Amino acid sequence: YQRRVRGSSDTKEGIKRLIAAEKEAQNIIKGARDRRIALLRQAKEEATREIEDYKTQRQNQFIEYRNKHTAGTDEHQKQLQKETAESIELIKKQIDQNGTKVVELLLSLVDKV
C-alpha cells in the first residue's frame, strides 16, 4: 500500500511537471507569436514609409520633368508665331509679285482649250 501511495504522489508530481512544462511551452509559443506579430507590424510600417518616400520621389521627378519640358512653351509658341507670320508675309509678297503672271498664264491656258 505504501508503494501505491508513494507511486501515486510520484504520478501527481509528474502530472504537475507536465502541466508546468505545457504552460511554459504555451508561454514560449505566445511570446514567439507576439514577436512575429510585432515584426510583421514593423515591416508593414517600414514598407508603407518606403512606398510614401518612393511616391514622393517619383512625384518630384515628374514635376521637375514637366517644368523642364514645359518651361520653354511660351518661348516656343512665340517663335512659331513669328515664323508663321514671316511665312505669310513671304507668300503675300510672292502673290503680289507673281499674281498678274499667274492670271495671264491661266487666261492663256483657257484660251487654248
Side-chain angles (χ1 to χ4, degrees), residues 6-63:
R6 189 169 189 225
S8 176
S9 71
D10 285 345
T11 305
K12 287 180 184 177
E13 186 65 32
I15 291 173
K16 285 181 183 178
R17 281 189 204 163
L18 284 174
I19 291 172
E22 189 175 322
K23 285 182 182 180
E24 184 180 347
Q26 287 176 350
N27 288 337
I28 291 171
I29 291 170
K30 184 182 181 314
R33 215 178 267 140
D34 291 345
R35 285 190 298 278
R36 189 187 88 197
I37 290 171
L39 285 173
L40 288 173
R41 201 173 281 136
Q42 181 183 359
K44 183 179 178 183
E45 290 172 1
E46 287 177 13
T48 302
R49 217 176 8 259
E50 286 179 15
I51 289 169
E52 287 301 317
D53 290 346
Y54 181 74
K55 183 179 175 183
T56 302
Q57 176 190 6
R58 293 297 290 174
Q59 190 163 5
N60 288 339
Q61 287 175 345
F62 171 73
I63 290 170

Side-chain angles (χ1 to χ4, degrees), residues 15 18 29-30 47 52 70 77-78 80 86-88 107:
I15 291 173
L18 284 174
I29 291 170
K30 184 182 181 314
E52 287 301 317
T70 60
Q77 190 174 13
K78 288 177 185 177
L80 283 175
E86 289 173 357
S87 295
I88 291 172
L107 290 174

Side-chain angles (χ1 to χ4, degrees), residues 92-103:
K92 284 181 180 179
K93 284 180 185 178
Q94 289 175 347
I95 290 172
D96 289 342
Q97 290 173 354
N98 299 321
T100 54
K101 291 180 186 176
V102 171
V103 171

